[in-house]
Amino acid sequence: MTSDGLRPVDEHLAEVLSRVAPLAPLELGLADAHGSYLAEDVTTSIPLPPFDNSSMDGYAVRLEDVRDASPGQPVALPVVADIAAGSTAAIRLQPGLSARIMTGAPIPPGTQAVVPLEWTDGGVTQVVITRAPDPGAYIRRAGEDLAKGAPVLSAGTVLGAAQIGLLAAAGRSRVMVHPRPRVIVLSTGSELVELGEPLGQAQIYDANSYALATACREAGAQAYRVGVVPDDPARLTEVLDDHLIQADAIVTSGGVSVGAYDVVKQVLRQVGSVRFHRVAMQPGMPQGFGVMGDDHIPVFALPGNPVSSLVSFEAFVRPALLRMAGAQQLHRALVPVVLAEAGRSPAGKRQYVRVRLASDPQRGVVATRIGGPGSHLMAAMAAANGLLIVPEDVTELAAGATGVAMVLDGPGQ
Ligand code: AMP
Ligand code: MG
């Protein structure tokens, strides 16, 4: 706690991370495992490739038969077989002969190289070869990608297209992964209106449940948007009770400041062990965090201003969801940047400034501030692709000074 009663960002994050753990592993079919983090070290029970095969359409030859082949002195060889991909014919290549072979087809024993089709006349019963291949040319050796028994992917690897493809190539149809956290996202506020409804007087559309559910998905979680809950303690209690059972985490927005109708604070203080803090950051100062229910489901009560809720998500919820998902790297990439212009930052608070990051061949990555510090300025957030992180003790920023920015990558950035 600082002298002004604010809780340091790192202390809040440390508490959050100490209360969440990777979700218990389960076995999933490969297609369903997309986006999950592996919970096992996978080895391969087959070599990759499984057998020697051709990397080109061409002709299997022995080196001594084609050693002198050149455009001026072509070599003609009888073609004694046609080997397609998938062929199981038992063929042995004898001296003085060749076999037509396709990409991926098994290399017949006795072969020392494959001559690509382009170096030949493409003959079917006899082939004329105009160039000598190097020993072993265009032969993909069994196990050259991975030997039998070799490690394929280690626990903690996230499964994207290439990783799923590799597991499939190794014949693994099911893998142990950490499930993707199921997150219930709800917005509180009696001024909020669901999309599709007309806007009445003093009403605004609910932006946060959409933004936060999307942020959860971008962090690899499964998000269920409950939508709008009015500032009514009984209704909020009911909604939380209804959804707790299906959740690995709950994210709420709004109702955590010191206003008269800050019902989230009121309700969550009573159930579970949710506590509320003034965290030394800007935006995003009011934060609630704790656990609820028998399963100790983590609950993040974020402030209602749309920019504050998204910045709070970046600072606390995203790392927690990644830990629950089984990731080892919990944090966004931080890059050194040069500031395009001068600015000020509040003393004693870590400021997250919406910036546009652009690389400049001379200066490196340049960060240009977008919009003002107002936490309602969503257009500026939507135009930003980074957050400049101004340390607590820095109050003045000079143009051309260096700093550190969090890179927000993902669709829309
Ligand atoms: P609160 O944290 O409930 O005091 O809300 C702070 C500000 O954020 C108020 O101006 C609210 O109207 C606004 N706000 C709260 N929730 C949302 C939401 N889901 N979408 C857009 N704005 C919101
Ligand atoms: Mg409110």
Side-chain angles (χ1 to χ4, degrees):
M1 194 79 87
T2 57
S3 56
D4 43 10
L6 299 181
R7 183 182 221 202
V9 173
D10 291 334
E11 184 182 319
H12 193 64
L13 177 62
E15 187 203 338
V16 166
L17 292 179
S18 75
R19 300 300 293 265
V20 297
L23 298 177
L26 84 177
E27 198 182 54
L28 286 185
L30 220 43
D32 295 327
H34 173 219
S36 298
Y37 289 78
L38 266 182
E40 60 171 327
D41 293 328
V42 177
T43 55
T44 177
S45 59
I46 55 170
L48 288 181
F51 52 90
D52 290 358
N53 69 91
S54 178
S55 70
M56 294 287 272
D57 292 330
Y59 295 84
V61 297
R62 298 174 72 101
L63 287 175
E64 67 268 20
D65 296 331
V66 291
R67 184 162 293 131
D68 300 324
S70 68
Q73 216 181 341
V75 170
L77 294 176
V79 179
V80 295
D82 219 8
I83 311 168
S87 161
T88 54
I91 295 157
R92 190 177 173 86
L93 191 68
Q94 303 297 340
L97 304 179
S98 75
R100 199 154 74 120
I101 190 163
M102 311 306 152
T103 305
I107 298 285
T111 302
Q112 291 169 324
V114 169
V115 178
L117 189 65
E118 291 79 359
W119 300 359
T120 74
D121 66 350
V124 176
T125 53
Q126 175 190 274
V127 64
V128 176
I129 296 169
T130 54
R131 198 167 146 184
D134 290 333
Y138 304 107
I139 298 175
R140 303 192 283 214
R141 296 293 177 192
E144 120 187 330
D145 193 3
L146 287 175
K148 182 176 173 173
V152 174
L153 293 171
S154 53
T157 305
V158 66
L159 301 179
Q163 295 72 30
I164 298 252
L166 175 60
L167 290 166
R172 280 296 294 259
S173 60
R174 302 179 73 75
V175 279
M176 292 299 288
V177 294
H178 297 283
R180 294 160 63 190
R182 298 161 305 168
V183 187
I184 301 295
V185 180
L186 60 89
S187 293
T188 67
S190 293
E191 74 281 30
L192 303 177
V193 175
E194 275 292 354
L195 296 186
E197 301 292 321
L199 260 196
Q201 206 186 352
Q203 293 185 321
I204 56 171
Y205 285 119
D206 164 29
N208 292 354
S209 71
Y210 283 93
L212 293 168
T214 307
C216 288
R217 290 188 195 110
E218 287 186 3
Q222 295 173 272
Y224 300 93
R225 207 185 57 80
V226 172
V228 173
V229 181
D231 290 320
D232 167 5
R235 181 76 194 114
L236 179 62
T237 308
E238 193 176 77
V239 170
L240 288 171
D241 284 349
D242 283 355
H243 290 93
L244 195 56
I245 186 84
Q246 326 145 15
D248 296 310
I250 293 178
V251 177
T252 70
S253 76
V256 296
S257 333
V258 290
Y261 299 98
D262 284 330
V263 302
V264 173
K265 212 166 174 176
Q266 202 179 317
V267 168
L268 288 181
R269 265 190 178 145
Q270 285 157 19
V271 293
S273 65
V274 181
R275 289 193 300 145
F276 291 83
H277 305 276
R278 290 165 67 233
V279 176
M281 63 193 284
Q282 201 269 321
M285 188 170 68
Q287 298 287 336
F289 175 74
V291 296
M292 253 185 91
D294 297 339
D295 295 332
H296 300 281
I297 302 300
V299 183
F300 298 86
L302 309 183
N305 271 306
V307 177
S308 309
S309 70
L310 269 184
V311 168
S312 308
F313 182 93
E314 287 296 331
F316 309 116
V317 187
R318 195 174 195 277
L321 294 181
L322 285 168
R323 171 160 286 175
M324 293 168 78
Q328 274 141 16
Q329 174 52 45
L330 308 182
H331 301 290
R332 296 266 202 191
L334 296 177
V335 291
V337 296
V338 174
L339 309 185
E341 69 270 284
R344 289 174 165 280
S345 183
K349 286 186 183 173
R350 186 176 301 181
Q351 195 183 28
Y352 296 84
V353 184
R354 281 146 273 175
V355 290
R356 188 83 209 158
L357 303 174
S359 29
D360 177 289
Q362 264 83 51
R363 299 201 288 165
V365 181
V366 177
T368 308
R369 188 183 289 262
I370 299 181
S375 302
H376 59 298
L377 301 173
M378 264 305 264
M381 187 73 194
N385 63 353
L387 292 171
L388 175 70
I389 302 177
V390 187
E392 289 77 346
D393 57 349
V394 174
T395 53
E396 299 280 341
L397 300 161
T402 53
V404 169
M406 179 192 283
V407 181
L408 301 175
D409 53 4
Q413 309 301 333

